[in-house]
Amino acid sequence: MRATRSALIVTLAASLTATAPATGTAPAQAQTQAQAADGVYYLQSVTTGLNAGVSGTSVLQRRPKGDEDRQQWTLTGRTLREGTQCLGRQADQAVVMACTSPDAQWDVLLDGDRHRLKVPGVDRHLIASGTDQVRIGTGADRWYLTPVSPQRVPVPVEGERRLDQVTFLTTHNAYANGVDGGFAPPFVNLAPNQARGIEQQLRDGVRGFQLDIHQTPDGAILCHNSCTWVSRPVALWVDVQRIVDFLNRNPNEFVTVFLEDYVSAAVLRSELARVNGLANVLFRPDQAGVRTNGWPTLNTVRANNKRLMIFTDHGRSGDSPQRDTFGVMYQSEWTVENYWSMGSGLGASDWSCHSRWATPLNRTEPGFRPLFVMNHFRDVPITGTATTDNGKLADRARRFCEPAARKTPTYLAVDHYHLGNPMAAVQALSGERF
């Protein structure tokens, strides 16, 4: 953390106070003309979710990478400094230059919770044009000035927390555990992602389950890539039944299932129809008015006994029947998710935090905040590496992924959840939110 939290809070409060009307409602134009507060920020494109970062003398769009990749800018008045130089303009290109240059001056204008970086005196702005290079043009792209040292706020008491104010421990490839059954050809079964079965995972506090399903003559089967030659295969309905039975025994718990989904909608519907009691506990955010009213509290879902949410990564386009008609939500409509791999099973890791999908991690809608799925695992689930990585989970969330998404993760997905104490990160992040 570079800037002191107290100083940043004071300057942010001063900026908001300066832009608030004394009485009545200020004209919209006046509300957008306030200068942003001084501080240390990530300059993040609203359109792409990428950060402006320095490479040589150029300013490029870079994957958010905390304090490791020249992406932190110190705003002082009308200049944005990185190192010893400032963000400036050279023709249509964004570059870094001497901070005393007139071309390093900007009107940094507040626009709701976003900003426009305007060239003084002319109708030209800093824009993210869809290329790596940050440019100057006639568009009015919006940017987030995301504090490097953000204000974090305490959450309400447990039952009064909304679902987007809770963090859940989540297991990557939860079915690939070497306990419940086979999940891949025998030689791949030697490298499971988890070491405990689904029922033990539930007892240990896991509340999110990432499952791969493939279509076979037997229905929707849990396996990696292909179910050919899998010994002792497990059907999806079997694990969902385990979860529903757990929820019936534990009326205060909430669970989410994420499907990497390679089956037809008809097969998936038939598979879930085999689960006794599923309809009683299935939570439907589309029917609960989440898009207009926000996510419900834990007390609300408990009172309604709607405590299991199922997502699919399958696309809606051309899907028949539409999966959400039988309660399986299209994940891209309700969550954001970072790219899944931190690198191979050995060696250095890539902790940058960028979207797995086309939509940026910082996506929001009026009145609605998508839940944030934070993936934190490697290509190959080596136990020693997972132990080290899981011990650094909270640090990566706070320094890399929270600023990238502008929200605290709702789901922390890891390999070998029993190693490295990832539950400590869950508890730390549940105590206060970005």
Side-chain angles (χ1 to χ4, degrees):
M1 299 304 175
R2 296 292 187 268
T4 63
R5 183 178 302 177
S6 58
L8 184 56
I9 293 171
V10 168
T11 53
L12 286 173
S15 176
L16 292 173
T17 301
T19 61
T23 58
T25 302
Q29 183 177 1
Q31 291 180 346
T32 65
Q33 297 305 305
Q35 184 76 18
D38 289 355
V40 185
Y41 298 99
Y42 299 108
L43 185 57
Q44 186 180 44
S45 168
V46 173
T47 303
T48 67
L50 301 178
N51 288 347
V54 177
S55 177
T57 60
S58 297
V59 179
L60 307 179
Q61 294 191 75
R62 311 293 284 271
R63 295 173 178 175
K65 203 171 182 180
D67 55 1
E68 295 186 0
D69 202 21
R70 302 190 68 185
Q71 297 180 9
Q72 297 182 357
W73 300 89
T74 300
L75 175 64
T76 305
R78 300 173 71 186
T79 62
L80 283 153
R81 176 175 53 81
E82 196 287 320
T84 60
Q85 294 186 300
C86 285
L87 176 67
R89 307 170 293 278
Q90 189 174 73
D92 289 339
Q93 303 298 311
V95 297
V96 288
M97 58 179 50
C99 295
T100 54
S101 170
D103 287 331
Q105 299 286 309
W106 300 89
D107 293 334
V108 187
L109 306 175
L110 190 65
D111 192 347
D113 63 344
R114 307 166 182 188
H115 293 80
R116 292 180 292 116
L117 274 73
K118 180 178 177 297
V119 178
V122 297
D123 188 21
R124 290 169 62 79
H125 296 79
L126 191 73
I127 59 175
S129 62
T131 65
D132 288 342
Q133 177 73 51
V134 179
R135 300 194 304 112
I136 317 301
T138 55
D141 282 18
R142 270 61 174 176
W143 299 81
Y144 286 118
L145 291 183
T146 300
V148 170
S149 296
Q151 179 184 5
R152 290 188 172 87
V153 296
V155 296
V157 296
E158 192 264 352
E160 296 176 8
R161 297 174 191 175
R162 301 185 311 270
L163 290 181
D164 60 335
Q165 294 176 316
V166 186
T167 296
F168 299 101
L169 180 60
T170 301
T171 43
H172 170 235
N173 289 346
Y175 64 94
N177 53 58
V179 175
D180 294 329
F183 59 90
F187 69 93
V188 180
N189 278 332
L190 297 176
N193 297 90
Q194 310 299 333
R196 299 176 181 179
I198 294 293
E199 291 180 342
Q200 184 63 52
Q201 292 178 36
L202 286 161
R203 288 193 293 270
D204 291 343
V206 175
R207 295 295 178 264
F209 297 86
Q210 295 181 336
L211 307 175
D212 294 10
I213 52 173
H214 292 261
Q215 189 165 322
T216 77
D218 297 319
I221 303 300
L222 299 163
C223 53
H224 261 132
N225 300 323
S226 169
C227 296
T228 304
W229 307 114
V230 172
S231 61
R232 297 182 300 118
V234 176
L236 171 65
W237 78 267
V238 173
D239 275 353
V240 176
Q241 187 69 67
R242 288 170 170 149
I243 293 169
V244 171
D245 292 345
F246 172 83
L247 290 172
N248 288 335
R249 295 190 302 268
N250 298 271
N252 286 334
E253 301 303 328
F254 186 91
V255 172
T256 307
V257 171
F258 301 90
L259 300 178
E260 187 171 320
D261 187 348
Y262 301 100
V263 307
S264 71
V267 165
L268 180 57
R269 180 174 59 184
S270 176
E271 187 82 8
L272 295 177
R274 303 179 66 180
V275 180
N276 293 325
L278 175 60
N280 296 333
V281 297
L282 192 60
F283 175 63
R284 297 277 303 270
D286 55 338
Q287 295 181 351
V290 167
R291 275 215 141 67
T292 54
N293 301 321
W295 293 97
T297 65
L298 289 173
N299 281 343
T300 298
V301 296
R302 289 165 180 165
N304 296 330
N305 196 34
K306 300 300 183 183
R307 296 176 292 112
L308 173 61
M309 186 159 50
I310 303 178
F311 289 119
T312 175
D313 70 349
H314 200 283
R316 177 186 288 278
S317 177
D319 207 13
S320 180
Q322 297 280 284
R323 280 162 163 79
D324 54 5
T325 61
F326 53 90
V328 177
M329 300 292 104
Y330 293 98
Q331 184 183 340
S332 62
E333 298 176 3
W334 300 97
T335 77
V336 293
E337 180 176 340
N338 67 306
Y339 182 68
W340 58 272
S341 175
M342 295 194 298
S344 66
L346 295 173
S349 61
D350 178 4
W351 277 24
S352 63
C353 218
H354 59 285
S355 181
R356 181 181 182 182
W357 314 119
T359 54
L361 289 181
N362 59 21
R363 175 173 66 93
T364 59
E365 301 171 21
F368 171 68
R369 288 172 60 83
L371 303 179
F372 175 22
V373 181
M374 177 183 159
N375 295 312
H376 185 80
F377 46 83
R378 307 288 190 105
D379 297 353
V380 181
I382 297 174
T383 55
T385 304
T387 301
T388 300
D389 287 346
N390 290 349
K392 299 176 180 179
L393 180 54
D395 184 49
R396 183 184 182 214
R398 283 180 167 156
R399 289 201 296 127
F400 292 74
C401 291
E402 276 189 337
R406 294 176 55 82
K407 59 180 75 70
T408 298
T410 314
Y411 301 94
L412 297 177
V414 299
D415 283 332
H416 293 295
Y417 77 94
H418 66 295
L419 302 175
N421 195 16
M423 185 60 80
V426 171
Q427 293 167 347
L429 296 175
S430 293
E432 57 181 14
R433 313 300 280 181
F434 183 91

